Amino acid sequence: MAGSGPRGWADTKSLTLQVLNGRWFMVFACLLIMSAAGATYMFGLYSPDIKTALAYDQSTLNLLSFFKDFGSNVGILSGLLNEVTPPWVVLLVGAVLNFLGYLMIWLSVTKKIARPKVWQMCLYICIGANSQSFANTGSLVTCVKNFPESRGVVLGLLKGYVGLSGAIITQMYFAFYYNDTRALILLIGWLPAAISFAFLRTIRIMKVIRQSNEVQVFYNMLYISLGLAGFLMIMIIVENRVNFTQKEYGASTAMVLFLLALPVVVVVIEEYKLWERKQLEMNGDVKIVTEKPVVPTEEQLEVSKEPVTYETPESTEEQPSQSCWKTCFRPPNRGEDYTILQALFSIDMLILFMACICGVGGTLTAIDNLGQIGTSLGYPTRSRKTFVGLVSIWNYLGRVVAGFVSEFLLKRYKFPRPLILTLTLFVSCFGHLLIAFNVKNGLYLASVIIGFCFGAQWPLLFAIISELFGLKYYSTLYNFGSAASPVGLYLLNVKLTGHVYDKEAMKQLVAKGLKRNKDEELTCLGGECFKLSFIIITAATFFGALVSLILVMRTRKFYQSDIYKKFREEADKAAETEMAMTRNGVTNGHNQTNGRS
């Protein structure tokens, strides 16, 4: 039997195609794309090179940081493009933008081209960072649509790899370029682009098929990612205490690459099971048909025709009556497919947007300024790399915990996701206070808390959007939700933190009786540099948590219902139709063979 194992070239070819064309290999491709899609979180590592090479003050550097996050999170263009083109087009555009943007930054910092104006640097970093929204939209949104009943798990896992990407790329950078931090900019230019190019045809929308062990497969991938995170955590701690040679970094990078590739084993095992089951079903159907050829054919024809004749008129009747402007203030029930305007004008979306402006904006301000905060508070240079690594690891843990735990609590106890978002915002306040009051060695703990809370907010935000407003226009609504980040970052980082930092730095220069030269960077030392800024950020985050409580109250009844019911029904109906058509095809083929004989 073909189902007992792959025998010969035909079975091997069939199994290989099953693996390469299957949903699980697509998930693996998405994991690799996401593992290189978080270069924007490494800004704290290479921003001192930009500041020194181009003689920027902190306000100018924070302006660059704002345009970085504006580019990475305002992905309306990628969302709209994904509505009308297949995912590979979105990934291709993102790869090109990534390479061009970061290449221009590298050329500027290494002075291979004339010193660019500030607006040009803002444009370069915005273009390079905008590629992240294309990678997210092309791969992550596609995965959510392919696994609608496991969206929290999918978002947590994929966003977790984005969180790890900072630590992953850092290891590769040390192996390839050692201590040349300017070369890091070039690495984050070509590496994500190359991975996206490699999997252009793999990422696509596929037919949703229900699998009883679907969540377990994701858990198997989670365990591997936890191993990767644990290894990276150990390496960060060891590298902080021991000076590694380039060869030793090469060995650690080889282990990282092995752990990155390991999920393909889970993919092959799962696809082999599906392939084997398919072979058994086909052989079993032929036997049943031979014994009783007439009756099943009629039943299957009826089953296969029913969905087609029933569903087509419904879809054609509904569409002409839809007018986006006339219905934008008459949204459907929560969980149904909202139009883009209905979602944007929804009170739920406005509340969610406001909460994330405060929460994401505050945590991202801390992450982007970690290098400068460490310098101001007197931490050694080596610790700066430790902070970036800690944020990356705990960013990952926040994402996977928020994704997997929120999905478990929702399915088992009907625990609403917006309440988990509220609790996350409250916890992040403690990290901001550790920075504000310069607690001894508190920046290490602050990096952990802020990294975890920042990571946790993203899968919660995107899962809530998909649950409240449906999946029909998820590509665009997903990217609108991301826009909360640059808005919060501009207010809390550029207008607040950068301004207070420069003001304190100028005070210190005046106290020393010095004047700042035009091409000299501005540096502030001491606890006062960031104290006022992070007290205000703490207050803003607390306010965001209170706002999100309103959403908890508004959606309480919705989350008490069975929010995944319609997806189960659609998947079951599609599976029945496909099975009936497959059996009918086998029956007809068998009858034709008997007729010829």
Side-chain angles (χ1 to χ4, degrees), residues 15-59:
L15 178 58
T16 303
L17 290 174
Q18 171 76 30
V19 171
L20 296 179
N21 295 325
R23 286 197 304 167
W24 294 112
F25 187 75
M26 190 217 63
V27 173
F28 172 68
C30 290
L31 292 180
L32 293 186
I33 291 173
M34 292 291 98
S35 68
T40 52
Y41 303 133
M42 302 181 69
F43 184 73
L45 201 57
Y46 64 82
S47 60
D49 288 308
I50 296 176
K51 189 176 182 180
T52 303
L54 303 178
Y56 286 162
D57 56 22
Q58 191 63 30
S59 293

Side-chain angles (χ1 to χ4, degrees), residues 393-414:
I393 298 298
W394 287 92
N395 183 4
Y396 154 79
L397 287 172
R399 290 166 190 252
V400 296
V401 168
F404 281 80
V405 172
S406 69
E407 191 75 16
F408 172 78
L409 293 176
L410 177 63
K411 288 183 175 179
R412 180 68 62 90
Y413 303 108
K414 304 289 185 184

Side-chain angles (χ1 to χ4, degrees), residues 202-454:
T202 305
I203 313 297
R204 64 201 185 281
I205 301 290
M206 304 173 74
K207 188 178 291 183
V208 177
I209 302 168
R210 287 196 72 204
Q211 289 180 232
S212 57
N213 67 332
E214 183 173 288
V215 175
Q216 185 57 49
V217 179
F218 282 116
Y219 270 101
N220 291 338
M221 292 183 176
L222 170 66
Y223 301 145
I224 294 171
S225 70
L226 286 170
L228 174 60
F231 176 77
L232 287 169
M233 187 73 170
I234 292 169
M235 293 309 301
I236 289 168
I237 294 170
V238 173
E239 288 164 10
N240 191 43
R241 298 178 178 276
V242 180
N243 288 321
F244 271 38
T245 64
Q246 191 169 5
K247 287 183 179 179
E248 289 168 336
Y249 278 120
S252 68
T253 301
M255 187 62 185
V256 168
L257 294 176
F258 169 75
L259 291 170
L260 274 175
L262 197 55
V264 79
V265 176
V266 177
V267 171
V268 172
I269 292 171
E270 191 58 32
E271 291 295 346
Y272 175 75
K273 290 177 184 176
L274 293 172
W275 176 84
E276 191 175 40
R277 195 178 308 145
K278 193 182 292 184
Q279 299 298 313
L280 285 169
E281 283 175 359
M282 288 178 66
N283 290 334
D285 287 340
V286 173
K287 285 184 179 179
I288 293 168
V289 170
T290 4
E291 291 171 7
K292 203 172 180 179
V294 182
V295 179
T297 310
E298 291 174 2
E299 288 178 357
Q300 288 152 6
L301 280 169
E302 284 176 11
V303 173
S304 63
K305 283 176 184 174
E306 272 179 15
V308 180
T309 54
Y310 179 73
E311 288 181 3
T312 310
E314 275 197 350
S315 59
T316 51
E317 276 176 24
E318 285 181 4
Q319 291 206 353
S321 63
Q322 295 296 322
S323 171
C324 59
W325 289 106
K326 288 182 180 179
T327 61
C328 64
F329 293 107
R330 290 188 284 113
N333 294 327
R334 290 188 181 97
E336 299 297 323
D337 289 323
Y338 280 54
T339 66
I340 294 172
L341 290 178
Q342 283 173 341
L344 297 188
F345 287 112
S346 164
I347 295 174
D348 291 344
M349 179 66 88
L350 294 176
I351 292 172
L352 193 58
F353 195 76
M354 177 61 71
C356 288
I357 284 175
C358 300
V360 177
T363 49
L364 197 52
T365 296
I367 290 170
D368 281 354
N369 286 284
L370 270 179
Q372 283 71 37
I373 293 170
T375 302
S376 297
L377 300 183
Y379 287 85
T381 306
R382 186 182 288 183
S383 294
R384 193 178 74 200
K385 296 173 184 176
T386 304
F387 297 144
V388 173
L390 284 172
V391 165
S392 184
I393 298 298
W394 287 92
N395 183 4
Y396 154 79
L397 287 172
R399 290 166 190 252
V400 296
V401 168
F404 281 80
V405 172
S406 69
E407 191 75 16
F408 172 78
L409 293 176
L410 177 63
K411 288 183 175 179
R412 180 68 62 90
Y413 303 108
K414 304 289 185 184
F415 196 87
R417 255 188 262 263
L419 183 54
I420 301 176
L421 177 63
T422 302
L423 296 174
T424 303
L425 293 176
F426 279 128
V427 171
S428 65
C429 292
F430 292 102
H432 297 316
L433 289 173
L434 287 172
I435 297 174
F437 294 102
N438 190 17
V439 177
K440 186 178 180 182
N441 292 323
L443 196 53
Y444 292 99
L445 182 58
S447 300
V448 169
I449 294 173
I450 289 170
F452 183 89
C453 292
F454 174 74

Side-chain angles (χ1 to χ4, degrees), residues 152-227:
V153 171
V154 171
L155 286 165
L157 184 64
L158 292 179
K159 278 295 185 181
Y161 271 84
V162 176
L164 279 181
S165 62
I168 292 169
I169 295 176
T170 301
Q171 288 296 317
M172 296 178 72
Y173 140 70
F174 281 130
F176 295 161
Y177 304 110
Y178 202 42
N179 280 326
D180 184 3
T181 50
R182 295 181 179 186
L184 172 64
I185 302 171
L186 184 62
L187 177 65
I188 60 181
W190 68 261
L191 181 63
I195 296 174
S196 291
F197 270 116
F199 294 106
L200 283 181
R201 300 306 298 271
T202 305
I203 313 297
R204 64 201 185 281
I205 301 290
M206 304 173 74
K207 188 178 291 183
V208 177
I209 302 168
R210 287 196 72 204
Q211 289 180 232
S212 57
N213 67 332
E214 183 173 288
V215 175
Q216 185 57 49
V217 179
F218 282 116
Y219 270 101
N220 291 338
M221 292 183 176
L222 170 66
Y223 301 145
I224 294 171
S225 70
L226 286 170

